[in-house]
Amino acid sequence: MDTKTTTEKTGEPGDGAESPESAGSTGSAGADIAAKTAEAAETAPAVEPLDADDLDPADEIDKDDDADDDEALFPDEAPAPVSAGIGGAAAAVVSAALGVVALTGTWTGKVVAERETLIGQIKTSGSGTPAQQISEIYGDAWHSVAVVNGVFSLVALLVAVLVLVLPGRPSWVRAVAVAGAVLGGLGLLLSVGTYFDLFLSLPTAGS
């Protein structure tokens, strides 16, 4: 047919074409929405990170409980004992050594005994009776050795007691100090008995 539609004659756009006016209104509406979104983002308050002071105490308690549980499951190694110092260890060893020396005798005691023997011989060389010779030559020498050994025993006992009284000593130091105290006490007991002739009495002239 030669006839055309009114639309084709007048040159108006069809249903599928968009007019310039509607396109302009759509663009302006999108620009307005973008501007409002940017303005809202600028006016929104900034979120600040939480400090350690702003944390809830309940959260801190939970963290502490978790740490305690971890320590219970994975215990650390036992701390090394605190050193009590070289002085305490040396004192304990010295006390034990003095206790042994007091029981076995010392060079000092031997020298003192020989001196007393010489003095007794000088005193009784002319007119001394047998009983006097025994007392001056042998008795005084024995008693002198007992005094020297008793002094060593007393020093050993005092040093050992001092080590045991002071706190913070390792177990091995205390064990050595106990040994020194026992040896010192035993040596002191034997020295006192020897000095007063409790264990062995002096021989008599008629024996």
Side-chain angles (χ1 to χ4, degrees), residues 8 52 63 74 76 109 120 150 184 195 197:
E8 294 177 353
K63 291 182 179 179
F74 306 100
D76 297 335
Y195 184 82
D197 299 329

Side-chain angles (χ1 to χ4, degrees), residues 98 102-103 148-158 183-185 187-188 191:
L98 289 176
L103 290 175
V148 173
N149 292 341
V151 171
F152 277 89
S153 299
L154 182 60
V155 173
L157 183 60
L158 292 178
L183 293 175
L188 186 60
S191 298

